[in-house]
Every structure is written in C-alpha cells, then in structure tokens.
Amino acid sequence: MSEDEYARRGIDLDKPNAARVYDYILGGQLNYAVDRMFAEQVLAAQPNARERARLNRQWLRRAIRFGMDQGIRQFLDIGSGMPTVGHVHEVAQAVDPKARVVYVDNEPVAVAHSEIVLEDNENAAMVHADAEFPDDVLEHDITEMMLDLDQPVMVVMALFVHFIPDERDPARLIATYRDALAPGSYLALSSATYEQQSDGTARAVAMYQKSANPVTPRSADELRALVDGFEIVDPGIVFIPEWRPDDPAEMPPNPAECGGLALVARKD
C-alpha cells in the first residue's frame, strides 16, 4: 500500500495505534512497524503485557456468556479493535446463531479487516464511527438495521474507557449510551488501573502518553462513578481474572498483576 493510500484511508503511521499494538501483543498480524516497535517497548517495561491481554480476552468471553445467560441476544461492542479469535460474535453465536452483534471502531485497519471477517455473517456487522459521538453510532444505518434498542442490549467497553481522559467526560459518554438502552440492558466494562500496580505499569502508561491513544487508568471508585445509573452485578468491580472465573483453581496467584479492573452492570 502506498503512502497516499495510507493517507486516504486515514491510517497514521507516524504514531502507534492502540488497536494495532494490542493486536501485535496478542500475536496478530494486523499491525505496522511503528506499532511493533512501540509494543516491544511496552513489553520491556511490562513483561506480562501479553498475559494481561489474554486475561482481558478471557474476561470478555465470560461477560458475553453471562449476557447470553441473562437472555441478551444483542451486543454493541464499542472500540472493538482488531478481529481476533473469540470475538464477541463467535462467543454469542456459539450459543445462539441468531444473536446480533455490532462492532464499532474508528481505526481504519480494524474496520477493514472486521468487514472482511464478517462479510458472510448476516447477524454481525462493523460500524466505522468514533464511539465518543454516540449519535453517530446509535443512529448509524447499520446499528439501526441490526439492533432493536427497544429490547435489551449488552454494551461492551473492553479496555476502551481508559482511552478517554477526564476532560472529555467519560461519565457523560457512558450515560448517553445508557439512556438509549432499554431496561434490562447491560454494560460490560474493563479498564486499566493503578490500584496495586508496580512501577512497570506507570512506565507503560507514560509510553502511551506519547502514542495516538494516551491512557488514563482508574480506580474502582472512579469506575463506579462512571457507571452511575447502572446496578453493578456480583462480584462487583474486581481485578479482571476475579470476575466470575470459569475455574477458580486457575486464578493467578496475584490477580492484580492483570493491571485492570472489570465490571458488568445492569440498567433497571
């Protein structure tokens, strides 16, 4: 692809992109040299970054299965990133092939590859939009075609909200999505945190401040404030591997080393 084509598609190769860096850390191929170089620097500061990414993907799958158990058959994945094994539609449609999933991202590579992956899936689709503008997401033709907002939906924000600093008012953003949802809907959210973290986390966060996607880690209390208007379900806001593990015997010795907190909350 030429430099002109990169520019036409809105792909900035001057700075690493969080979605592509995450893809590389997970072992994917949808990334560029600038992303790989940055990811290796993150891995040097935080050697367990790959394990952290894996634990978050496992939590996401557990959260989707929980939603299915509650009768949810519609999912809106905000900041979905690159298509990987165990994506939301794979988990949901393994239970019910008619489950509908809408992915949302503004990273052109993530969008392009997601469209390819979903090409033959009539119950899953990709929306190219900036999730910080909820109307652009909720009123998008694809969203309106795929999801019935008069019925319960699970909104997924996996490692998304920590890319929104306080000055951009993440609480208002989440409230806007909340207000568009029917009662009985859910929010599944995970976020980086400083709670019980080592110096490696601080170094990695400092690196991200120089990327296209600076990170704002948050405490459990800060996340609780962001989801006001939702009722947080058990076990509450916990370190990612502690959220309803499939096998408690496989819990990491120190769950805090995952570097993130997770929650699922219900709109009554």
Side-chain angles (χ1 to χ4, degrees):
M1 191 184 298
S2 68
E3 290 187 6
D4 288 344
E5 182 67 4
Y6 283 125
R8 186 183 72 79
R9 296 192 182 198
I11 301 173
D12 182 3
L13 297 185
D14 292 331
K15 286 187 175 183
N17 174 271
R20 301 192 307 256
V21 170
Y22 191 62
D23 173 69
Y24 176 77
I25 288 174
L26 282 170
Q29 304 297 317
L30 307 180
N31 48 73
Y32 298 101
V34 66
D35 308 306
R36 295 189 286 274
M37 184 179 301
F38 179 81
E40 289 297 338
Q41 293 172 350
V42 170
L43 287 165
Q46 201 172 70
N48 68 340
R50 283 196 170 93
E51 176 66 4
R52 290 182 171 201
R54 185 185 68 82
L55 290 170
N56 185 69
R57 295 300 298 185
Q58 289 180 340
W59 163 78
L60 175 61
R61 292 193 284 270
R62 296 196 302 275
I64 299 306
R65 291 198 301 268
F66 172 83
M68 296 295 290
D69 289 344
Q70 309 313 305
I72 301 295
R73 293 297 183 268
Q74 303 185 104
F75 298 85
L76 179 62
D77 188 348
I78 301 295
S80 56
M82 300 297 180
T84 62
V85 174
H87 233 40
V88 172
H89 72 280
E90 292 183 351
V91 179
Q93 291 173 1
V95 178
D96 184 347
K98 294 182 180 180
R100 290 180 169 257
V101 179
V102 171
Y103 295 106
V104 181
D105 210 292
N106 64 351
E107 207 289 315
V109 176
V111 172
H113 284 277
S114 294
E115 289 173 343
I116 292 170
V117 168
L118 301 174
E119 187 174 13
D120 297 323
N121 192 321
E122 65 180 7
N123 290 323
M126 186 76 202
V127 168
H128 188 181
D130 187 338
E132 285 196 61
F133 296 90
D135 289 347
D136 291 351
V137 174
L138 298 169
E139 297 175 8
H140 195 284
D141 289 346
I142 291 176
T143 306
E144 292 185 337
M145 177 183 69
M146 295 291 292
L147 303 181
D148 179 1
L149 296 182
D150 291 329
Q151 298 298 317
V153 175
M154 175 175 273
V155 174
V156 177
M157 294 185 177
L159 299 184
F160 167 75
V161 73
H162 62 216
F163 292 118
I164 305 176
D166 293 339
E167 57 266 26
R168 298 215 302 263
D169 200 356
R172 179 202 55 78
L173 174 68
I174 292 173
T176 303
Y177 282 104
R178 180 201 66 213
D179 292 346
L181 300 176
S185 294
Y186 287 84
L187 170 67
L189 183 151
S190 63
S191 170
T193 186
Y194 274 132
E195 290 192 0
Q196 300 182 40
Q197 297 304 299
S198 67
D199 292 342
T201 295
R203 290 195 297 272
V205 169
M207 290 176 187
Y208 270 97
Q209 306 314 104
K210 301 174 184 177
S211 76
N213 310 99
V215 173
T216 303
R218 292 186 170 93
S219 67
D221 286 343
E222 288 172 318
L223 293 179
R224 186 173 291 104
L226 293 187
V227 299
D228 185 49
F230 286 97
E231 180 180 352
I232 299 172
V233 305
D234 289 337
I237 303 175
V238 294
F239 289 111
I240 288 170
E242 293 179 317
W243 198 89
R244 297 180 181 243
D246 291 329
D247 183 357
E250 295 181 358
M251 182 77 65
N254 181 6
E257 289 184 355
C258 72
L261 297 169
L263 66 93
V264 173
R266 185 179 190 274
K267 176 180 176 179
D268 291 326

